[in-house]
Amino acid sequence: MDTEHLRVLELLKRHGWNATSFQVLEPGYSYWFDGEDACVAYVDTGKAWVVAGAPIASHERLAEVSERFEVHAASAGRRLCFFATEQRMLDAAPLRGLAIGEQPVWDPRRWEQSVRESRSLREQLRRARAKGLRVREVSPAELKDPTHPVRAGVDRLMEHWLVSRRMAPMGFLVQLSPYAWAEERRSFVAERDGEVVAFLSAVPVYARNGWLVQHLLRDGQAPNGTAESLVDAVMRAAAAEGRSYLTLGLAPLAGDVAGWLRAARVVGMPLYDFEGLRAFKARLRPHAWDRIHLAWPARHASHLPLYDALTAFARGSLARFGLATLLRRPLPLVRLLAVLLVPWTVLLALPANAHRFPSPLVQWGWVFFDVGLTVGLFSLIRRWRSGLATLLASLITGDACLTLLEALLYNLPRARGPGDWLVMAVAVLAPTTAAVLLFWARRHPALVPA
C-alpha cells in the first residue's frame, strides 16, 4: 500500500459517505487533496475529469471543495462532472444534476422482518437450501492465496462472468476487483458439492455505518435462490454488527429519469438488462430507493457531462469500447446485415439498376447469389453451426472480392455522382464486414450463443 492510497483510506474512514466511496481505492484513479481533510478521486478522459461520486470531505466542506476542484480542472483545460452523487451533494454545492437511476437501500436490522413478510423470498431461500447450497463468509487469507480452492473457484466465476457479458469490460466504478483491499471487505461464497457457484463482495461505507454490495457473481448452473441466499447472508452479518445501511448499488436508468434516458433504456436492452436488474433488487424488498445523479457545474453544456461519464466507463474511448463490444457479440450485426440484404437484393433485381452490371446475366447471377446467401445467414442465425459459418464466410469473402473487382473495372469508370459512389461503397463494405464478423465468431465459439 503506497502512502497516497493510505491517505485516501484514512479520509474515507472519516468522510466516506457516498455509497461508491470505497471504490476510489481501486486502480485507475487520480487524487487531488485539498488540505489534510478533503480529497477528490477522478479519472481523466483526456477532455474531462470525471469524479467518482462526491468529494471525500465533511458535509460542511462539500461546496468549497467542489468549487476549488472546478477551478483546478479549468486550469488544466478539463471539463468536470461528478458521477453517482446523491441528493446530499446537490443540496450542498451549486451544481446542476440529472437523475440517472435509483439505488435500493436496506436497514439490515429490519431484514429478518422483510424475510418473514415475503413468501416469495422465503421460498427462494428454501429452494436453494433444498438443492444443497451452503453460504459462508470467507476470510481475506482464502481470497489472497492464489492456490486456495476458494480463490480458484472465484477466479473461475469471474472468468465465466466476463465471457458472458454482452459488453466489453468497463472501467471506472464497475471494475471487477474483489481481491483489492481484502481486509476491508466482507466476502461470502455459495458452495454446492464443495464447488463455489456464487460469490458476493461487500465494501464499507464508513460514514454511514454500512456496506455496499459491489460484486455479486453467480454460475449459470447455480440453483434458484443462490443470489438471494448470498444477500440474506450479508444482511444477517451486517445486522449482527449493528449496521444500519446496506445497498446493492445503482440500478441504472431506473425510476423517474428523463424521457430520452427512458428511450436509451429501451434501445440499450440488447446490451444491458436494465429492467431485469431493477426487478431483482425490487424482489428483495428494499426499505427505500435513493435517486442517483450525474452532476456538473452550471457553466458546462448539459450533454457533455453524460458523454464524459460514458467515456470514463469506456476507459477513455467510446469508439474502441464499441468495437470491442461488437466483437464480443458479432451475431447481432450479422443478423442486421442479413435483414438489410433482403431489400438490397430486391433493389439489385430492379430494371432501373441494370446499368450497374456488365450484362443481365451478371445482374441476375448476383440476385440469385444474394437470395441464397440470405437464406443461409438466417439459417445460421437461427441455429449456429461452425461448418455453415465457415462456408458462408468463405462465400461472402469471394463476394467482396468479386464486387470490388467489378466496381474497379466496370462501375468506377461509369460513376456519375455521389449516388454511384455510395452504392459501390455499400456493395463492397457490407460483405467485407459480414465476412470478418463470421470468421471472428468462428474462431471464438465462446462468444456465440448456444
Side-chain angles (χ1 to χ4, degrees):
M1 300 181 188
D2 59 73
T3 304
E4 186 177 53
H5 281 89
L6 288 175
R7 186 179 176 187
V8 174
L9 177 60
E10 179 59 32
L11 287 174
L12 284 172
K13 290 182 176 180
R14 292 161 55 191
H15 305 304
W17 189 92
N18 211 71
T20 57
S21 57
F22 186 86
Q23 292 171 258
V24 306
L25 290 171
E26 295 170 356
Y29 292 95
S30 299
Y31 306 105
W32 176 79
F33 294 93
D34 189 28
E36 296 299 318
D37 63 343
C39 170
V40 177
Y42 65 97
V43 297
D44 188 349
T45 69
K47 299 287 187 179
W49 286 349
V50 182
V51 180
I56 306 168
S58 65
H59 183 262
E60 295 74 21
R61 290 205 64 203
L62 283 178
E64 176 192 359
V65 174
S66 300
E67 291 172 353
R68 288 167 61 84
F69 187 66
E70 179 186 352
V71 172
H72 181 53
S75 68
R78 296 292 192 269
R79 297 187 295 266
L80 175 64
C81 66
F82 300 82
F83 185 86
T85 65
E86 301 184 44
Q87 189 61 44
R88 176 180 188 255
M89 175 71 172
L90 295 179
D91 292 340
L95 300 170
R96 299 173 64 186
L98 173 70
I100 55 172
E102 293 183 327
Q103 185 167 269
V105 175
W106 291 261
D107 181 342
R109 298 168 299 183
R110 297 166 53 195
W111 174 251
E112 177 61 37
Q113 178 184 350
S114 297
V115 174
R116 287 199 306 267
E117 294 175 351
S118 174
R119 180 178 178 182
S120 61
L121 181 53
R122 293 197 308 274
E123 179 60 18
Q124 287 294 85
L125 297 175
R126 185 201 64 79
R127 286 178 181 175
R129 288 194 299 269
K131 292 291 186 178
L133 190 79
R134 297 294 178 265
V135 176
R136 66 180 181 89
E137 186 171 2
V138 294
S139 68
E142 291 175 274
L143 294 177
K144 293 173 67 175
D145 180 3
T147 64
H148 197 282
V150 169
R151 169 67 178 265
V154 176
D155 285 343
R156 177 183 57 81
L157 276 178
M158 290 196 296
E159 180 181 357
H160 290 177
W161 185 85
L162 287 171
V163 169
S164 71
R165 295 304 90 189
R166 301 172 189 175
M167 291 191 290
M170 294 188 287
F172 197 38
L173 289 170
V174 291
Q175 300 180 71
L176 194 57
S177 53
Y179 309 137
W181 303 87
E183 292 81 3
E184 300 291 329
R185 296 174 179 269
R186 302 297 293 273
S187 301
F188 300 79
V189 294
E191 298 170 315
R192 187 183 185 195
D193 298 328
E195 295 290 328
V196 175
V197 296
F199 172 74
L200 181 150
S201 177
V203 295
V205 186
Y206 295 107
R208 293 165 93 166
N209 187 35
W211 298 340
L212 159 71
V213 174
Q214 183 184 8
H215 304 305
L216 180 53
L217 309 178
R218 176 183 177 275
D219 187 89
Q221 303 303 314
N224 289 340
T226 296
E228 290 85 350
S229 298
L230 281 169
V231 172
D232 179 70
V234 72
M235 288 285 187
R236 294 180 185 279
E241 295 184 10
R243 305 290 179 183
S244 57
Y245 175 87
L246 191 141
T247 178
L248 294 186
L250 174 66
L253 305 188
D256 186 18
V257 296
W260 61 276
L261 285 179
R262 290 196 297 271
R265 180 174 63 202
V266 174
V267 173
M269 283 298 290
L271 294 177
Y272 193 94
D273 189 5
F274 296 100
E275 293 292 346
L277 179 61
R278 189 193 188 284
F280 166 73
K281 294 178 178 181
R283 287 198 301 271
L284 296 170
R285 301 172 67 89
H287 301 134
W289 288 87
D290 291 341
R291 297 182 75 183
I292 304 300
H293 302 85
L294 174 66
W296 65 93
R299 64 185 179 86
H300 293 323
S302 59
H303 65 281
L304 291 175
L306 186 59
Y307 169 81
D308 293 333
L310 291 174
T311 303
F313 281 102
R315 301 177 185 265
S317 172
L318 287 172
R320 185 170 60 245
F321 176 79
L323 178 61
T325 296
L326 174 63
L327 293 178
R328 288 178 68 83
R329 289 293 181 269
L331 283 191
L333 186 55
V334 174
R335 182 182 294 108
L336 175 62
L337 292 173
V339 170
L340 295 177
L341 189 57
V342 175
W344 174 263
T345 304
V346 172
L347 290 174
L348 289 186
L350 294 177
N353 285 315
H355 68 284
R356 302 187 189 281
F357 303 92
S359 71
L361 182 63
V362 173
Q363 179 182 10
W364 285 102
W366 279 121
V367 169
F368 285 116
F369 176 83
D370 284 351
V371 168
L373 200 59
T374 302
V375 173
L377 286 172
F378 278 112
S379 176
L380 180 67
I381 292 166
R382 186 169 57 252
R383 183 170 66 87
W384 176 265
R385 284 149 288 175
S386 295
L388 180 58
T390 302
L391 174 62
L392 290 175
S394 301
L395 290 174
I396 295 172
T397 300
D399 177 355
C401 293
L402 287 175
T403 301
L404 177 61
L405 184 63
E406 183 179 322
L408 292 174
L409 297 180
Y410 183 80
N411 299 105
L412 186 60
R414 294 167 174 79
R416 294 294 181 267
D420 291 336
W421 286 96
L422 178 62
V423 170
M424 284 189 289
V426 172
V428 173
L429 293 178
T432 301
T433 302
V436 169
L437 292 173
L438 283 175
F439 276 125
W440 177 266
R442 178 67 179 82
R443 293 183 60 185
H444 299 80
L447 303 181
V448 180

